[in-house]
Amino acid sequence: MTTPASPLLSVQGLRVVFPGRHGAPEARAVDGVELDIRAGEIVALVGESGCGKTTLARSLLGLERPAAGVVRFDGKPLEYSSRALRAYRRRVQLVLQDPSGSLNPRHTVYDAVAEGLRIHRHAGDERKAVADALSRAGLRPPERFFLRYPHELSGGQRQRVVIAGALVLEPELLVADEPVASLDASVRGEILALLLRLRTELGLAALVVTHDLGLAWNIADRVAVMYLGRIVETGPVEAVLTAPRHPYTQALLSVLPEAPGEPVVLAGEPPDPSRIPSGCRFRARCPILANGEADRAGVADRCRAEDPGVLNAGGESQAACHWAAERVGA
């Protein structure tokens, strides 16, 4: 059994690469990630599109095999045989952002939720398990939804069916990839409240992948900020989102509607993951380096030449930034 202090899921030195075309260098989609998620904890993984969030999530589910590093669940390394992955996916379930794409339009709600039970050859009462999962997901009375098809449901109801399909196997961890991105604003709060209630009632842990820092504030215990394949800042959500240390996190927060001051507009696009720059991977877009603050702090040369290293994203506040480290030490 997992002790309260030990992580339910632990990632160490994870690297996922994709081969380049026509002899081009390989793309380092995930380039050295350390991450812990404890039982009953919600961790938000945030960052721009293309930073590697979804690839990291897929690797945690065993859908992408890492080039290096290890994923451990309940203290044991993830194995990649079909049998081991089948057993693992009873305990770790995926919730995708687009319920319309996740649900087969020809399957009823009952069949959609029962599919996991049938794949895993559930030996108990299938009807009761489906009804319980729908009820936990907020679709009550569940029998009223059994014979409905996805097109007969609202967007929020479809997402609840997707969540019920994950819950029916009684997992310990949900990996939710942009779980409310496709929903109307009026429904998002309901789904977030549902995820929080599931954590309270069932002790579920969750990794919530999102580009929305407001969502992270509302749901997460901890946040990990990802840039170009690596976590660059991590810590308790209040610490990271009220006093961000990394210039990238500061820029992401500055464009929120309620943020004070002028928004920070980052120059250019993120570098190609097959050509990650030397030194700090954020340096080409870093406003602190561009405006001379890094020079005044005496770290500009280190920013250009020295990699800040891989964070151990286990709990305390950390930032992979020479300038931030200098300010803390000053």
Side-chain angles (χ1 to χ4, degrees):
M1 294 292 292
T2 303
T3 65
S6 63
L8 178 65
L9 182 84
S10 179
V11 178
Q12 297 170 324
L14 199 71
R15 293 183 72 244
V16 179
V17 300
F18 298 116
R21 294 183 179 179
H22 310 298
E26 63 187 15
R28 291 181 274 168
V30 176
D31 190 33
V33 165
E34 310 265 335
L35 180 67
D36 290 344
I37 303 173
R38 291 175 173 79
E41 181 180 46
I42 298 178
V43 177
L45 181 66
V46 304
E48 294 171 290
S49 296
C51 71
K53 304 187 302 295
T54 295
T55 302
L56 175 57
R58 287 176 58 82
S59 67
L60 300 186
L61 289 155
L63 299 171
E64 298 287 353
R65 192 160 185 165
V70 63
V71 177
R72 285 188 171 84
F73 187 80
D74 205 9
K76 299 176 182 177
L78 178 59
E79 299 177 11
Y80 293 90
S81 67
S82 297
R83 183 175 181 179
L85 286 173
R86 181 190 293 266
Y88 175 65
R89 289 174 188 151
R90 285 191 69 104
R91 305 177 71 183
V92 181
Q93 281 283 302
L94 174 65
V95 175
L96 294 170
Q97 66 170 295
D98 180 9
S100 298
S102 303
L103 298 171
N104 188 325
R106 298 181 179 181
H107 286 180
T108 64
V109 166
Y110 182 94
D111 287 333
V113 177
E115 182 177 14
L117 296 173
R118 294 166 183 172
I119 289 172
H120 291 273
R121 298 171 186 169
H122 178 67
D125 185 334
E126 180 183 279
R127 183 182 175 89
K128 182 178 184 304
V130 170
D132 287 348
L134 287 169
S135 184
R136 286 195 191 105
L139 294 173
R140 303 186 186 94
E143 293 79 9
R144 192 179 71 171
F145 295 90
F146 278 1
L147 299 181
R148 292 193 185 180
Y149 288 88
H151 73 270
E152 299 176 306
L153 305 175
S154 68
Q157 289 173 330
R158 286 194 292 269
Q159 189 64 299
R160 290 175 186 273
V161 172
V162 171
I163 292 171
L167 293 177
V168 76
L169 292 170
E170 300 183 349
E172 296 160 67
L173 172 68
L174 293 182
V175 177
D177 191 354
E178 299 280 8
V180 297
S182 64
L183 301 178
D184 292 340
S186 60
V187 181
R188 291 179 189 178
E190 297 176 9
I191 299 300
L192 296 180
L194 170 61
L195 292 174
L196 288 169
R197 180 168 59 79
L198 293 173
R199 188 264 297 272
T200 301
E201 293 179 357
L202 304 178
L204 267 177
L207 177 72
V208 179
V209 179
T210 181
H211 67 279
D212 184 348
L213 288 165
L215 183 152
W217 176 264
N218 286 321
I219 197 171
D221 302 299
R222 284 193 298 119
V223 61
V225 182
M226 196 166 185
Y227 181 79
L228 201 57
R230 191 174 288 179
I231 292 171
V232 296
E233 184 162 7
T234 184
V237 66
E238 296 89 350
V240 173
L241 300 189
T242 60
R245 295 168 55 196
H246 198 286
Y248 178 61
T249 313
Q250 293 173 1
L252 293 179
L253 285 165
S254 76
V255 300
L256 294 179
E258 63 273 20
E262 293 296 316
V264 177
V265 179
L266 296 177
E269 298 292 327
D272 185 334
S274 66
R275 294 178 175 84
I276 293 175
S278 60
C280 174
R281 60 192 55 218
F282 184 58
R283 66 178 175 84
R285 306 174 73 202
C286 181
I288 300 300
L289 191 58
N291 68 17
E293 286 190 51
D295 267 314
R296 290 189 287 275
V299 297
D301 289 342
R302 293 178 64 196
C303 294
R304 296 184 181 99
E306 183 181 329
D307 189 333
V310 175
L311 298 182
N312 180 8
E316 71 278 9
S317 296
Q318 302 173 71
C321 173
H322 300 302
W323 174 74
E326 186 68 22
R327 294 176 76 201
V328 169

